[in-house]
């Protein structure tokens, strides 16, 4: 059995081991386990049953992870995307007054369109057409973005009325994040295997010992019923009969499309999978997240996509699909051990996000021709706007819009791939939809 696992996932070819892949999968799960609790809270604001959303989140995430691991054979995990779930709840349901059942139907339709353009390899063509320099910028930008999320989750940066953001007050659980990050840095500099995971584990233990994190009162609980949300997306497809709802579907499609595409490219860049500016098996990876989005809508959750927290597992050494499979299995088990997951708070996972941000931001050094403004400007726009707009998709959109403009101005328009000109107009429409749709 061990030999079959090694052979199927190509573990030896990637210079990894079964133990390392499983540890990486566990690390990825710990880094993104918060979505099991955050997603029900966000969608609960749209009057969806929190228990059903919890189970739907776990099952849909597990399905996507297993597809990504067994079919695409990438160490990339999937789950409901942050940001798009807020759009679902606050903009579509609460803001537009659209029933959550109809909003789920919108996700379902968007997922079907996703599958179609994936089968016809349109998504693959788009990803392959993005210039190498912009791919490095996307990867580094995602690093800055998740580091920002980590610092915000830790309370290191907080909202400030005068300057938008400012330095937080270091007290309580914020110190857990600081201690975790310092320990993580020390262990990584000493080349200790599993440094990220070990540091998070120590931070969680310190939190329980000091009382900053409450110890769980029970270990096992039954999974909540899916009945309130299951199948509602299919039942309400016929409700999508107005231009407003068409805009909602298009928005789900575009936001998830470019968010996932950017995340996949960034993670593939971090793991060293990119070859000749192309991501091997990208079609299978895209089909995996498209299928997960479709399944998730039927179960009862907002759009599923590749997760940037997968970078934590990749940083630990995960290089094969076994990492994603491990994460998927843990999502299934997580349904029954939800009390234990409360121990891994955002303060415990925050140091991992910051550290991975450090690692991914290193791709800035690989962007060529920083002395060429036609490359530097769109690259910098991507790097700056991803964290500042709190959106991977917005950062990519703005960077891709600037790229043809700067290249044409520098009389290098012929070097721009034809599809990039198409994307220029697509992203203009994308931004217009976001502005008018919200």
């Amino acid at each position: 059995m061990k030999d079959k696992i090694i052979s199927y996932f190509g573990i030896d070819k990637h210079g990894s081991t079964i133990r390392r892949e499983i540890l990486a999968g566990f690390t990825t799960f710990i880094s993104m386990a918060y979505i099991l609790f955050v997603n029900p809270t966000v969608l609960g604001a749209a009057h969806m049953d929190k228990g059903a959303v919890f189970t739907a989140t776990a099952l849909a995430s597990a399905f996507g992870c297993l597809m990504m691991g067994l079919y695409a054979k990438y160490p990339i995990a999937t789950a409901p995307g942050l940001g798009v779930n807020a759009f679902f709840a606050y903009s579509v349901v609460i803001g537009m007054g659209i029933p959550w059942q109809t909003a789920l139907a919108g996700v379902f339709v968007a997922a079907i369109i996703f599958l179609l353009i994936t089968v016809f390899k349109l998504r693959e063509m788009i990803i392959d057409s993005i210039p190498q320099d912009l791919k490095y910028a996307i990867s580094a930008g995602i690093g800055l973005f998740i580091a920002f999320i980590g610092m915000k989750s830790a309370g290191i940066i907080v909202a400030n009325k005068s300057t938008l953001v400012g330095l937080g007050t270091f007290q309580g659980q914020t110190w857990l994040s600081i201690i975790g990050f310092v320990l993580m840095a020390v262990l990584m500099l000493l080349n200790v295997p599993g440094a990220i995971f070990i540091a998070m584990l120590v931070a969680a233990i310190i939190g329980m010992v000091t009382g900053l994190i409450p110890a769980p009162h029970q270990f096992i609980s039954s999974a909540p019923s899916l009945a309130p949300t299951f199948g509602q997306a299919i039942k309400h497809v016929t409700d999508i009969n107005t231009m407003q709802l068409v805009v909602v579907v298009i928005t789900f499609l575009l936001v998830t499309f470019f968010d996932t595409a950017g995340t996949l490219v960034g993670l593939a860049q971090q793991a060293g999978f990119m070859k000749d500016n192309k991501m091997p098996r990208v079609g299978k990876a895209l089909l995996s997240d498209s299928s997960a989005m479709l399944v998730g809508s039927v179960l009862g959750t907002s759009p599923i996509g590749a997760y940037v927290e997968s970078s934590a597992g990749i940083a630990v050494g995960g290089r094969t699909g076994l990492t994603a499979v491990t994460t998927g299995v843990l999502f299934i088990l997580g349904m029954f051990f939800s009390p234990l997951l409360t121990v891994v708070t955002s303060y415990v996972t925050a140091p991992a996000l910051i550290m991975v941000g450090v690692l991914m931001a290193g791709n800035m050094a690989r962007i060529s021709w920083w002395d060429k403004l036609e490359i530097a400007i769109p690259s910098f726009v991507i790097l700056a706007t991803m964290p500042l707009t709190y959106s991977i998709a917005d950062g990519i959109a703005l960077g891709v819009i600037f790229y043809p403009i700067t290249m044409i101005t520098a009389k290098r328009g012929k070097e721009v791939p034809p599809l990039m000109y198409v994307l220029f107009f697509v992203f203009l429409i994308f931004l217009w939809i976001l502005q008018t749709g919200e």
Side-chain angles (χ1 to χ4, degrees):
M1 179 62 72
K2 180 179 179 181
D3 291 338
K4 288 183 179 179
I5 293 175
I6 292 175
S7 175
Y8 182 80
F9 291 107
I11 294 175
D12 283 347
K13 294 179 181 178
H14 288 85
S16 187
T17 64
I18 291 179
R19 179 180 176 278
R20 185 182 302 166
E21 294 297 313
I22 292 176
L23 176 62
F26 197 80
T27 301
T28 295
F29 175 72
I30 286 179
S31 297
M32 61 189 290
Y34 65 85
I35 195 63
L36 286 170
F37 303 96
V38 174
N39 203 43
T41 299
V42 173
L43 299 189
H47 306 296
M48 293 183 68
D49 184 274
K50 291 184 179 180
V53 173
F54 174 86
T55 302
T57 299
L59 290 176
S61 300
F63 177 83
C65 289
L66 293 174
M67 278 284 291
M68 194 69 77
L70 296 172
Y71 179 62
K73 298 183 181 179
Y74 274 117
I76 298 174
T78 63
L82 288 175
V84 69
N85 61 355
F87 174 79
F88 178 103
Y90 297 105
S91 297
V92 177
V93 178
I94 298 175
M96 299 180 186
I98 295 172
W100 63 262
Q101 295 91 336
T102 305
L104 275 182
V107 176
F108 178 76
V109 173
I112 292 177
I113 298 174
F114 251 152
L115 282 171
L116 291 175
I117 63 177
T118 298
V119 170
F120 289 106
K121 298 186 177 181
L122 180 58
R123 292 177 77 184
E124 189 171 343
M125 288 170 56
I126 292 173
I127 292 178
D128 287 343
S129 71
I130 300 175
Q132 185 68 52
D133 291 294
L134 294 193
K135 284 180 178 174
Y136 286 134
I138 289 170
S139 178
I142 291 174
L144 296 177
F145 175 66
I146 63 176
F148 183 81
I149 293 175
M151 292 182 186
K152 175 178 175 291
S153 298
I156 295 173
I157 353 183
V158 296
N160 185 296
K161 292 183 179 179
S162 301
T163 60
L164 292 182
V165 294
L167 190 65
T169 303
F170 294 175
Q171 58 184 1
Q173 295 193 48
T174 298
W175 280 111
L176 282 182
S177 297
I178 296 173
I179 292 171
F181 183 73
V182 171
L183 178 59
M184 199 173 291
V186 171
L187 293 176
M188 290 190 71
L189 288 170
L190 293 176
N191 296 315
V192 176
I196 293 178
F197 172 72
I198 293 172
M200 288 193 295
L201 181 62
V202 171
I205 293 174
I206 292 175
M208 287 187 286
V209 170
T210 58
L212 292 174
I213 298 177
H217 298 295
Q218 61 185 92
F219 295 97
I220 301 175
S221 63
S222 58
S225 172
L226 274 174
T229 60
F230 184 77
Q232 293 298 320
I234 299 175
K235 292 179 182 177
H236 292 267
V237 167
T238 54
D239 292 347
I240 303 176
N241 51 18
T242 66
M243 183 54 65
Q244 182 187 47
L245 288 170
V246 171
V247 170
V248 169
V249 171
I250 294 174
T251 303
F252 280 137
L253 180 67
L254 291 177
V255 172
T256 310
F257 178 100
F258 293 111
D259 224 359
T260 297
T263 301
L264 284 175
V265 169
L267 293 171
Q269 201 78 61
Q270 179 197 0
F273 294 137
M274 302 299 288
K275 296 179 180 179
D276 299 323
N277 195 35
K278 293 185 178 182
M279 180 179 173
R281 307 185 309 282
V282 65
K284 291 185 176 182
L286 293 170
L287 188 61
S288 297
D289 72 67
S290 299
S291 301
M293 181 176 173
L294 184 66
V295 170
S297 66
V298 175
L299 293 175
T301 185
S302 51
I304 303 287
Y307 243 55
V308 292
E309 281 82 354
S310 301
S311 52
I314 292 174
V316 168
R319 289 296 182 275
T320 75
L322 183 56
T323 292
V325 170
T326 301
T327 304
V329 171
L330 289 172
F331 264 115
I332 294 174
L333 294 177
M335 292 190 300
F336 306 101
F337 292 87
S338 55
L340 292 178
L341 296 180
T342 59
V343 172
V344 187
T345 67
S346 60
Y347 292 94
V348 173
T349 60
L353 298 181
I354 299 171
M355 183 58 71
V356 170
V358 173
L359 300 176
M360 294 186 72
N363 281 296
M364 282 189 280
R366 305 175 72 178
I367 300 175
S368 59
W369 305 325
W370 267 102
D371 57 330
K372 302 289 186 180
L373 279 177
E374 63 269 28
I375 299 295
I377 290 174
S379 296
F380 179 79
V381 167
I382 291 173
L383 291 167
T385 55
M386 275 192 188
L388 295 180
T389 62
Y390 213 73
S391 170
I392 292 172
D394 290 348
I396 294 174
L398 293 169
V400 169
I401 288 172
F402 267 96
Y403 184 74
I405 295 174
T406 56
M407 290 294 282
I408 291 173
T409 304
K411 299 180 180 180
R412 296 179 59 188
K414 292 182 179 180
E415 298 177 35
V416 179
L419 200 51
M420 288 297 289
Y421 286 111
V422 175
L423 289 178
F424 170 83
F425 292 103
V426 169
F427 275 120
L428 284 177
I429 296 172
F430 164 74
L431 292 177
W432 176 80
I433 289 175
L434 281 184
Q435 295 298 314
T436 58
E438 294 179 12

